Amino acid sequence: MRAVMVAALGLALIAPAGASANGFVEDVRVLQEWHGTPGGNFGWAVSELQDIDHDGVTDVIVGEPSAGRTWVFSGRTGRTLHRFDGAAGFSIADAGDTARDGVHDVISGTTTRALLYSGRTGDLLHTFTGAGYGYSVSSAGDLNLDGFDDVAIGATSAGVVDIYSGRTYGLLRRLKGDRFGSALDTSPGVLAPELSVGALGLPAQVYAPFASFRRLSLTPPAGASAFGDFFVAGVGRVDRDLFPDFYVGDYGASGGNGWAGVYSGRDGSLIWGWPGGPGDGRGPGREAGDVDRDGRIDLAVGDYTAGATGAGRVNVFSGATGRVLRTITSTTAGENLGFDAVGVGDTNRDGEPDLLLSAASGASVYLVAGNRKRLITPP
């Protein structure tokens, strides 16, 4: 588990859209920022959420586990759309449209249960309980083709991932393996959605695509420590073959330097590997969208303990070349920028994909504007 420092900040306050960027080394435009309760670990996990307020812009989910809350905010205005009390937010995800009401729902995990909430009304739809339940959660797409999206719940201590019907909440399938379920993510596949499954601490990472539930054995980096813990994601066809590829992070590798990599969905071979520097804690993150418009998904990767004061930073890496496209460095001591990071599409409608960046130890989350003018020019 990542060590967490906590700063005493205010209650989930929202800065106005287009707020000026303070607290960063680079030229950064902050579109929205949110701050959580003291000691709440606001931003422990962040996620994109398909537009639930029908304004044409992706919305966002933020977990605040130590306060026992999960938040949903508008990606366009920053306003609070839902606040789920009692939903720990240790793990969070867009659950898909499980209620078949035309609006995506939200799933939030603790480590003993997972709670499914309506994105339309905010009502609790169902509680799933079990040993270790909720360490990871994800949509599962419509696995049984009944028109309702299903959900996947990981229980690493039990070594299982259970997939439940979004219509009946009955168990559809159980996947088992040693330390199975340390991370989950669903992404588009060749014939059907694919579920990526982490298996914490093993010499190989395991993935189970829906079409065949085949497993790919991935080689972890030297000095692996938390390979596949939390940070596993489908990232599209980075190498342009027919098989969607996968991101895996290890924030504890090499004694805390961290590591991040992209693996082939065809055979599990390493496409790109990015080791962290001394004390960086590299590894939190996943897809950033096509930042440089070359037709391939790029990667947002956090170095959450980087810097002498632990301010942290985020790098955006090219999926096509592996080079650094953009760096965002915090100047706020101890906030751990890059505790989590993900692309959320074009929230300010300027044609550029934006980034959702967590600084959980500072109880802050930033929605940062994308801009190709800020990309690093190669030598």
Side-chain angles (χ1 to χ4, degrees), residues 250-266:
D250 184 341
Y251 52 83
S254 301
N257 294 354
W259 185 90
V262 177
Y263 289 86
S264 166
R266 178 176 59 85

Side-chain angles (χ1 to χ4, degrees), residues 228-252:
D229 190 24
F230 292 117
F231 303 109
V232 170
V235 293
R237 296 182 297 117
V238 169
D239 59 3
R240 288 191 170 173
D241 65 10
L242 293 177
F243 297 90
D245 305 312
F246 304 95
Y247 174 86
V248 185
D250 184 341
Y251 52 83

Side-chain angles (χ1 to χ4, degrees), residues 81-107:
L81 301 178
H82 296 300
R83 167 180 160 173
F84 304 128
D85 291 320
F90 180 83
S91 59
I92 54 174
D94 182 330
D97 185 6
T98 67
R100 202 178 180 183
D101 60 2
V103 179
H104 278 216
D105 304 313
V106 175
I107 188 165

Side-chain angles (χ1 to χ4, degrees), residues 101-127:
D101 60 2
V103 179
H104 278 216
D105 304 313
V106 175
I107 188 165
S108 178
T110 65
T111 51
T112 58
R113 59 184 181 155
L115 301 100
L116 180 65
Y117 291 91
S118 167
R120 183 175 63 85
T121 67
D123 293 337
L124 178 64
L125 298 176
H126 193 74
T127 300

Side-chain angles (χ1 to χ4, degrees), residues 333-349:
E335 80 164 351
N336 291 164
L337 182 72
F339 204 93
D340 200 358
V342 65
V344 291
D346 182 12
T347 64
N348 62 342
R349 298 173 178 171

